[in-house]
């Protein structure tokens, strides 16, 4: 059904393309427009944030002009000189073009022209980049991806000086530089251009944007719908291990919107790559909206492009940093230039949502175009409202049927739980089914490792993915979820993982005292069902909310189950005895275990284990139900890390041997505080006195927990149906419980 | 000479004591004064910072009054309930007393009275505290120290309600509570009271302050001059291993100012303990100034108390955190309540230095007394000026002749080098002769470990010193200095260490392009001379300044020398091959080595080793001269750490075997930056192309370094004389150098 609908849409689009008279002769028309520029010029000096942004850009470009133009022969990987220089060049070209339009100072046009002709002169005879690691080498850069970055920015610069250049100059540039450039990253490299992947999105946008400036229908059509006969083999892979072509795969910009985005705007590769792809998505969309408004690109797939901006903003912690799902470098945030574009464009084209303005205020700069002006004017006029991050469940998959990510938030981001039950996430996905991470305000409490890479730091493997990304960061044991028999989910194989996804069982954020999400994973291990339910619970007697985690494992065989939790902080106390080895050995030999040192080992004599730690100014305790034979392991990342590529972070792991069906129940409890200035230690001990799995069957799992205030609460999960209307009755220890729906939480007041 | 002078001063003091008519009948007179209160009341509502501070205190005390009074039977160590409750009580009593005076609301007086009588009732029959770890157990707390804290605060509260209480009430309190309390912490515990130690300072102040309020001459004299016949044995030690009594030791408050403070105001235990002792020093001084102005306490020892505040502020990093010299918990800063007192008092009694006001502004609160009012009024009147931290050399020892601490700063704290060549620092000292730490802005680059303790966190050894403080934190190998033959300085023995100190060779911060300090240590190892020279150098061709480190070791025997550097950050690259062990072993068995895992081992084929690392957003490279046989070791703290008491921090160590005389030369070079948001990596590689010890004899040591810009600079140290007027001539590789003074730096422009 969905497929049919898309085909119809595509046909409508083709209709538009042929029927609408292109007015691309007017320049600028791509991002800046003639009328927009007029408006901007009228407002100069009256809109503080716009003026400030303009002054910053001007200062930057003026300094670059002062330094002179350099277009070195391409040589380096990212982080190296030629890479960084060409990258800086395209950023400067785009900005100089804008300055020319807004300030109407010819020196900027001269700068753009002169640099373009240096590129024109060099490009003609340029071979593929000498570094060979990429499956699709560029010419200016080591991969077509970066060449596409270049063209996305430079097409904007060209648009800005188009009218100022002579016809002859334009012809020379188009013939020797832009057209061959666009062909090289598309028809010459279909394995790059014709995929559904963030790489291709950049390629599509690059080709489409220069096509719009040049009024080149062929390029525009190629950008939107891909190359018809790409000659690619199904099953081929790129250098990151991602599929280049799968059966029935569509291509082009519209396919790249349609497939990786769920209807909720979640991008299957995760927020780090969504951020990266956001720029070409939105800037090309903006260009299409300006040049081809009848396409109604922002309404495509029920407005998913604008929804995706909202999704992305909701995938940040209290500091604005993206959750590092899949391959994501920590520290990337909504302060990035891509998000400045995204938020301004979403504000302007997405109904002027005043909450977005508070993000713009934090970013403290705007785009130098209609959208940036509009946001800056609204901020000047005090229209900004705080951006409210709430709990949100984002589906994954083109139709929203391939699992998702649940983000539970309590209060003003006092506690944020990120629960991942998504699809594989293409080649940047990790084998981390039903994993999670936890934040208090902007501080990581239970961390997701992120990627093993130092983006653009040349000394670290050319700034590219390090081998530890595969041997550690992607492996299941690197995540806060179950590893069975020391084997990663889907055997760590992308071919298998990419065919599956977890399924939402239920999600409910409608109650003040419990917000809860539950999901099942049936394919990570054959014969084993993983069913995890996680909740943020607030009980009246405790000052802070806590997380309750129920991981139910059902198997037909006896297995070893490892459930690690990568806490951040220093151990303050445990309730069990452990011993520290005199010599550290790796915990295993493969699947990520080879990177873990075993730092300590213990067992609990009680039915619960407790681990308390201090992170910055706050205390936390993990209380878990344990069995007498459970091994309680302290681990440290860093074994077999021959180049210090990994952080030496701590972990605590419960290992349960020879079990088929079992439940791991835990409470992760923030409590108290410590001040290094007053040296006051407040409430440094856990308030969870007991935690017990009081019932577990195929049909129901029930847990009780007791606080030091003596209150006992119970949570029951109906394992087999999430039907909201279904009535349940269950007797536990002579007490009968009756309720309706997938779960029952009974809070004792 | 100095001693004589002090005796004369003491005699003058005694003269004052007997001749000045005590006017302690007027109350309050201690910190608040009758006229001061009048002035404060007149200004209420007109001085924003004072009003704000008052409102905060009022809100806090009101909330406590609401909760009711609790004075539990003493039971716990620090961090435990009874400890924290009694601590909170004395803080509240002092504040409630002040509120009563300023607001003239009787409820505060009632609160003070009622709580005092609860204490009165309990104290009479109270035995020594049940916890036995201290060499001087208190009654309310596990050590007399905390009991003294209590009395220092509570005597202020008593002063505030003195006139409001009936004579009978006062008599009862003094007879059953205050006088026995004062006697208990003094004559009953001379081993606590009669020392030169921060403990005794608290004891002296406590006894003196309650003496001033009660107009009790005996207590005042005891406070100022100590107990005459204390019956203590010379050589006895406390539970921290510090001497209680040494030969000829004086006692009392004046001795506690005279001995531990150098004439520059450096406190021999280091800034963390100076901060702790600052409150009794200044608050008792303020009381003496108010009640006995003729004593001129702020002029004692040439105004050392006020100088010490300036010294303390200069011993902070760009965030205001104290350098963790000796036993110091990181994170303690000039935002602490003790420093609020110190800075307000120093402002008021120390000549109204407007630079102090900028610190007060950062603290954002003032004392509720004359000094706080005066600072707040000045801030309201916009008199604040930025506090300028510059390079400073602080002598150690009562006469300033026992080494010291040199702090070299470049720019606006862009780079701060802390070079320690001080005396032992009493029982809180570390065996770290000629060690250093390095900061860029407020970020630690080369760290000093600090202490192994979680102050007031009960679960960690009662919040007291952990055994790792002795086995790791105090040991030489835990510091950035030379360990010879895997043995700590002075064999790690306090008895030996406390007899010695390093000597300043020269200090010169007068040049823009080089600031330099040099010191010799002859006693850390018998037969071995350590001579270290450290400089911050700024060469025109490099954007950032760097540190040059020359550690010259001269011995009559062949030894093994280990020189570690505890860098903070993640390794980015090295210029040498190293191997990582499959299994981690401790580096040694004792003297701190047992706590280091050996994480990697290499050797350099070149004459220099290079280690680059990334810390937050900046790159750093350590370039060192190495010999072919040098072992280059990567270490990680945490071996034999059975309770996770230590941080898992990294170290890099150069091990040189079988050498007698040798020089370790290094450059620690900050360079470039990395942004996790733009992912731009700028200037990530070292600019030091070569570093070479080109000359080394008993008389001279010379080093050259070459930057990637091709410039070669030379630094020569005259090892045997620091005479500034002495002319030197030296030929190095056919080039003759002529200069005057202890060093010669030739910078090539």
């Amino acid at each position: 059904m969905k497929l049919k609908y898309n085909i119809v849409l595509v046909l409508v689009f083709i209709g538009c393309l042929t029927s609408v008279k292109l007015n691309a002769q007017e320049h600028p028309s791509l991002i800046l427009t003639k009328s927009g520029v007029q408006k901007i010029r009228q407002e100069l000096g009256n809109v503080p944030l716009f003026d400030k942004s303009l002054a910053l850009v001007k200062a930057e470009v003026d300094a670059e002009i002062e330094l002179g133009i350099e277009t070195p022969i391409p040589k380096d990987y990212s982080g190296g000189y030629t890479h960084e220089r060409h990258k800086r060049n395209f950023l400067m070209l785009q900005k100089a073009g804008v300055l020319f339009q807004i300030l109407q100072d010819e020196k900027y046009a001269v700068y753009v022209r002169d640099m373009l002709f240096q590129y024109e002169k060099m490009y003609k005879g340029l071979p593929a980049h000498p570094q060979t690691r990429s499956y699709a080498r560029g010419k200016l850069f080591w991969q077509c991806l970066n060449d596409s970055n270049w063209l996305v920015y430079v097409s904007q610069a060209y648009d800005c000086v188009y009218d100022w250049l002579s016809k002859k100059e334009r012809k020379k540039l188009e013939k020797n530089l832009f057209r061959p450039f666009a062909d090289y990253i598309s028809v010459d490299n279909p394995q790059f251009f014709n995929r559904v992947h963030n790489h291709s999105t950049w390629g599509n946008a690059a080709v489409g944007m220069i096509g719009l400036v040049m009024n080149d229908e062929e390029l525009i059509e190629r950008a939107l719908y891909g190359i018809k006969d790409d000659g690619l083999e199904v099953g081929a892979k790129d250098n990151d291990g991602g599929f280049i072509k799968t059966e029935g795969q569509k291509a082009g910009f519209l396919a790249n919107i349609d497939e990786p985005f769920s209807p909720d705007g979640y991008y299957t590769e995760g927020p780090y790559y969504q951020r990266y792809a956001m720029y070409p998505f939105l800037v090309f969309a903006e260009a299409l909206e300006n040049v081809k408004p009848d396409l109604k690109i922002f309404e495509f797939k029920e407005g998913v492009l604008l929804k995706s901006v909202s999704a992305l903003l909701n995938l940040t912690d209290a500091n604005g940093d993206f959750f590092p799902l899949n391959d994501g470098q920590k520290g990337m945030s909504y302060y990035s230039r891509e998000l400045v574009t995204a938020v301004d464009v979403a504000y302007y084209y997405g109904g002027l949502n005043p909450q977005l303005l508070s993000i713009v205020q934090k970013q403290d700069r705007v785009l130098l175009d209609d959208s940036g002006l509009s946001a800056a004017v609204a901020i000047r006029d005090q229209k900004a409202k705080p951006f409210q991050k709430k709990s949100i469940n984002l589906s994954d998959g083109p139709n929203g049927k391939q699992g998702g990510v649940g983000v539970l938030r309590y209060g003003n981001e006092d506690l944020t739980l990120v629960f991942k039950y998504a699809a594989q996430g293409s080649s940047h996905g990790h084998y981390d089914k039903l994993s999670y991470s936890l934040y208090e305000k902007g501080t990581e409490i239970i961390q997701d490792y992120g990627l093993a890479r130092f983006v653009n730091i040349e000394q670290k493997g050319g700034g590219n993915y390090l081998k530890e990304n595969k041997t550690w960061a992607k492996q299941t044991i690197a995540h806060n979820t179950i590893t069975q028999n020391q084997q990663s989910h889907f055997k760590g194989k992308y071919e298998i993982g990419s065919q599956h996804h977890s399924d939402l069982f239920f999600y409910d954020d409608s109650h003040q005292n419990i917000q809860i999400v539950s999901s099942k994973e049936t394919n990570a291990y054959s014969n084993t069902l993983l069913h995890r339910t996680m909740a943020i619970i607030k009980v009246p007697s405790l000052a802070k909310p806590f997380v309750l985690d129920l991981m139910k494992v059902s198997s037909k065989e006896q297995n070893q189950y490892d459930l690690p939790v990568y806490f951040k902080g220093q151990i303050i106390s445990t309730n069990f005895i452990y011993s520290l080895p005199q010599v550290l050995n790796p915990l295993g030999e493969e699947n990520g275990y080879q990177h873990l040192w075993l730092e300590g080992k213990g067992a609990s004599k009680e039915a619960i284990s407790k681990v308390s730690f201090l992170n910055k100014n706050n205390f936390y305790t993990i209380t878990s139900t344990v069995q007498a034979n459970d091994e309680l392991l302290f681990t440290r990342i860093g074994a077999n890390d021959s180049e210090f590529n990994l952080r030496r972070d701590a972990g605590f792991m419960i290992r349960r041997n020879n079990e088929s069906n079992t439940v791991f129940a835990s409470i992760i409890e923030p409590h108290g505080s410590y001040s290094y200035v007053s040296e006051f230690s407040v409430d440094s001990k856990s308030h969870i006195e007991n935690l017990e799995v009081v019932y577990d069957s195929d049909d129901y799992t029930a847990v009780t927990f007791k606080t030091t205030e003596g209150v006992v609460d119970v949570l029951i999960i109906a394992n087999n149906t999430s039907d909201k209307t279904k009535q349940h009755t269950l007797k536990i220890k002579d007490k009968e419980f009756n309720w309706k729906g997938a779960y029952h939480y009974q809070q004792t007041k």
Side-chain angles (χ1 to χ4, degrees), chain A:
Chain A
M1 281 302 286
K2 192 76 188 172
L3 189 68
K4 236 187 222 164
Y5 171 75
N6 286 339
I7 288 170
V8 171
L9 247 183
V10 166
L11 290 174
V12 170
F13 267 65
I14 292 173
C16 293
L17 264 184
T18 47
S19 69
V20 174
K21 168 83 190 111
L22 293 180
N23 60 344
Q25 275 75 1
E26 185 175 291
H27 292 277
S29 63
L30 204 62
I31 302 304
L32 285 176
T33 59
K34 264 201 146 50
S35 63
V37 167
Q38 226 166 7
K39 210 164 133 199
I40 287 169
R41 288 180 52 79
Q42 280 164 6
E43 291 282 8
L44 285 183
N46 299 325
V47 191
L49 189 51
F50 192 91
D51 292 337
K52 182 180 173 182
S53 304
L54 179 62
L56 276 175
V57 167
K58 182 174 183 309
E60 195 184 1
V61 174
D62 287 350
E64 277 293 332
I65 291 176
E66 197 69 26
L67 286 172
I69 297 169
E70 285 195 59
T71 55
I73 297 296
K75 183 170 80 63
D76 301 328
Y77 277 126
S78 41
Y81 170 69
T82 71
H83 183 102
E84 296 302 320
R85 184 64 256 172
H86 288 299
K87 182 171 173 183
R88 196 154 178 79
N89 283 352
F90 69 66
L91 294 171
M92 289 306 120
L93 281 174
Q94 187 268 342
K95 288 176 178 178
V98 169
L99 289 178
F100 170 61
Q101 283 294 333
I102 294 179
L103 301 176
Q104 300 194 352
D105 180 340
E106 277 210 338
K107 80 169 178 182
Y108 299 110
V110 169
Y111 178 72
V112 171
R113 180 196 61 199
D114 291 352
M115 200 192 294
L116 287 180
F117 275 99
Q118 274 195 217
Y119 274 110
E120 182 266 344
K121 203 169 160 191
M122 174 165 75
Y123 195 82
K124 279 187 298 187
L126 209 58
H129 193 277
Q131 302 289 359
T132 59
R133 193 186 300 164
S134 174
Y135 75 105
R137 285 149 72 191
K139 286 193 165 185
L140 298 180
F141 300 90
W142 69 282
Q143 39 180 3
C144 279
L145 172 61
N146 305 100
D147 279 41
S148 300
N149 299 159
W150 189 93
L151 191 55
V152 164
Y153 283 86
V154 173
S155 58
Q156 298 173 57
Y158 181 48
D159 181 46
C160 285
V161 299
Y162 191 96
D163 282 352
W164 180 84
L165 294 171
S166 70
K167 199 172 173 184
K168 199 175 151 195
E169 286 170 326
R170 290 198 298 263
K171 203 172 165 189
K172 195 171 177 194
L173 286 174
E174 293 186 7
K175 183 172 166 235
N176 295 333
L177 180 60
F178 295 131
R179 179 72 203 220
F181 201 111
D183 286 343
Y184 183 76
I185 59 174
S186 55
V187 288
D188 294 351
N189 282 284
Q191 81 284 16
F192 162 77
F193 186 83
N194 240 29
R195 306 169 69 183
V196 169
H197 193 284
N198 73 67
H199 287 189
S200 305
T201 302
W202 276 98
N204 302 155
V207 169
M209 287 174 75
I210 197 67
L212 287 173
V213 183
M214 290 162 59
N215 194 12
D216 184 326
E217 290 265 6
E218 190 188 344
L219 290 184
I220 297 167
E221 189 153 335
R222 192 189 295 165
L224 290 172
Y225 309 109
I227 303 161
K228 296 241 156 58
D229 300 308
D230 56 21
L232 297 171
E233 273 180 56
V234 167
K237 286 200 210 168
D238 67 18
N239 50 301
D240 289 340
F243 283 120
I244 286 171
K245 189 166 188 170
T246 54
E247 200 59 49
Q249 183 67 68
K250 289 184 293 174
F253 190 66
L254 298 178
N256 266 301
I257 299 174
D258 201 36
E259 282 233 0
F261 283 107
S262 79
D264 294 331
Y266 179 76
Y267 187 72
T268 195
E269 296 184 18
Y272 178 79
Y273 277 98
Q274 178 167 357
R275 177 271 324 169
Y276 184 62
M278 222 56 225
Y279 187 77
F281 274 125
L282 289 177
V283 85
F284 186 30
E286 197 180 356
L288 285 168
E289 184 74 10
N290 284 334
V291 184
K292 299 173 174 296
D294 292 351
L295 284 182
K296 294 191 176 25
I297 186 71
F298 284 116
E299 291 171 28
F300 184 65
K301 197 175 174 173
E302 301 180 54
V304 75
L305 280 180
L306 297 172
K307 276 186 197 164
S308 76
V309 178
S310 166
L312 198 43
L313 293 174
N314 270 293
L315 290 170
T316 61
D317 68 18
N319 299 326
D321 286 10
F322 296 120
F323 304 131
L325 303 174
N326 296 328
D327 286 341
Q329 179 163 281
K330 290 182 184 179
M332 182 54 75
S333 74
Y334 62 47
Y335 293 96
S336 63
R337 60 177 178 276
E338 296 91 346
L339 267 286
V340 172
T341 298
V343 176
D344 287 3
V345 169
Y347 176 74
Y348 190 64
Y349 294 101
L352 309 178
N353 175 1
Q355 289 196 12
L356 291 175
L357 297 174
S358 68
I359 307 286
V360 176
Q361 282 179 310
K362 285 185 180 179
Q363 292 170 335
D364 202 25
R365 59 197 158 127
V366 291
L367 293 179
L368 299 180
D369 67 4
D370 298 6
S371 70
L373 181 69
S374 140
V377 166
I379 285 169
R380 180 196 64 192
D381 298 345
Q382 304 194 306
K383 291 186 180 160
K385 289 187 180 163
F387 189 83
Q388 300 286 355
K389 280 190 240 170
K390 293 187 180 144
S391 296
I392 190 168
N393 189 39
L394 297 167
S395 64
D396 192 7
N399 303 318
K401 302 287 186 195
Q402 300 181 5
V405 174
V407 182
L408 299 181
R409 290 187 168 95
Y410 187 90
N412 185 20
E413 300 185 72
D414 295 342
L415 200 61
T416 302
L417 175 75
V418 184
F419 179 56
K420 182 163 179 263
Y421 62 97
Q424 181 63 29
S426 98
S427 63
H428 292 298
H430 289 195
Y431 302 98
D432 62 349
K433 297 290 142 184
L434 310 188
S435 184
Y436 75 100
S437 54
L438 183 67
Y439 297 76
E440 182 168 5
K441 296 281 183 190
T443 300
E444 283 182 312
I445 308 309
I446 309 296
Q447 73 161 328
D448 189 283
Y449 188 87
L451 44 58
R453 178 182 179 183
F454 295 76
V455 180
N456 288 337
I457 298 181
E458 196 191 9
Q459 298 95 314
K460 283 289 195 192
N464 304 313
Y465 284 98
L466 298 164
K467 66 178 188 299
E468 289 78 12
N469 197 58
K470 195 173 176 194
T471 61
W472 166 253
K474 286 191 168 194
Q475 298 295 328
T476 305
I477 197 60
H479 299 86
N480 303 298
T481 188
I482 288 278
T483 296
Q484 175 178 297
N485 300 328
Q486 305 192 25
Q487 175 74 261
S488 283
H489 296 166
F490 309 113
K491 299 178 182 164
K493 290 193 175 154
Y494 175 60
E495 293 79 356
I496 307 175
S498 58
Q499 293 169 26
H500 301 289
H501 56 81
S502 307
D503 288 296
L504 181 65
F505 189 54
F506 64 84
Y507 172 89
D508 185 5
D509 64 10
S510 64
H511 301 290
Q512 271 265 315
N513 59 356
I514 183 165
Q515 299 184 66
I516 187 164
V517 57
S518 183
S519 168
K520 293 181 181 184
E521 168 57 47
T522 53
N523 299 296
Y525 300 108
S526 55
N527 278 339
T528 303
L529 164 71
L530 304 177
H531 178 189
R532 192 173 212 168
T533 303
M534 301 195 79
I536 292 185
I537 291 176
K538 177 69 180 68
V539 300
S541 57
L542 301 188
K544 294 185 176 186
F546 58 78
V547 167
L548 177 61
D549 172 23
L550 286 182
M551 174 64 101
K552 179 176 168 67
V553 190
S554 315
S555 184
K556 292 176 183 150
E557 288 145 23
Q558 291 223 323
N559 299 299
Q560 180 194 69
Y561 301 117
D562 285 343
L563 183 58
V565 52
Y566 291 95
F567 65 93
K568 293 202 86 167
Q570 187 150 10
I571 300 279
I572 292 298
S573 65
T574 65
N575 75 334
F576 55 89
I577 306 287
Y578 55 88
S579 61
L580 272 82
Q582 277 294 306
V583 165
L584 293 196
N585 282 285
L587 190 59
E589 288 179 4
E590 53 183 4
N591 304 325
Y593 283 77
Q594 74 276 23
H595 291 299
L596 286 173
W597 295 116
L598 178 60
E599 259 198 341
K601 189 172 173 177
S604 178
K605 289 180 178 166
E606 299 176 48
I608 55 170
S609 70
K610 276 184 171 290
V611 175
S612 295
F613 57 99
L614 175 66
N615 181 350
K616 295 184 184 168
N617 297 98
N618 292 290
F619 294 100
Y620 303 88
T621 298
I622 305 170
T623 304
S624 306
T625 58
V626 286
Q627 304 176 358
N629 294 330
D630 285 356
E631 297 172 47
L632 307 180
L633 311 178
F634 289 102
T635 61
R636 178 80 46 185
I637 303 165
N640 286 293
D641 174 22
S642 59
E643 290 181 306
F644 292 104
N645 287 337
L646 299 174
R647 300 188 303 270
R648 297 303 188 252
D649 291 344
F652 169 66
M653 188 188 293
I654 300 177
R655 169 169 288 181
R656 192 162 292 169
N657 293 301
N658 303 319
E659 278 281 359
S660 49
N661 301 322
T662 191
V663 175
F664 291 84
S666 294
I667 283 177
I668 303 140
E669 175 201 7
H671 53 90
S673 64
Y674 183 72
S675 162
Y676 291 89
V677 171
S678 75
E679 295 184 338
F680 273 113
S681 163
V682 178
D683 205 9
S684 68
K685 291 176 185 170
S686 167
H687 293 268
I688 302 299
E689 201 164 83
N690 196 21
L691 173 66
E692 191 181 350
V693 179
V694 288
Y695 192 94
D696 187 44
S697 72
D698 283 354
D699 294 333
Y700 300 103
T701 301
V703 66
T704 60
F705 54 88
K706 183 180 174 188
T707 69
T708 43
E709 280 67 20
V711 176
V712 179
D713 288 1
V714 61
L715 176 68
I716 312 175
I717 311 296
N719 293 324
N720 285 328
T721 170
S722 57
D723 183 345
K724 283 182 189 170
T725 62
K726 164 95 174 158
Q727 281 286 351
H728 299 270
T729 300
L730 181 66
K731 209 170 190 178
I732 303 175
K733 293 182 183 169
D734 295 335
K735 198 173 167 193
E736 195 176 275
F737 294 88
N738 293 288
W739 76 95
K740 201 166 75 175
Y743 75 96
H744 176 60
Y745 173 51
Q746 189 168 307
Q747 186 168 84
T748 314
K749 304 287 172 191

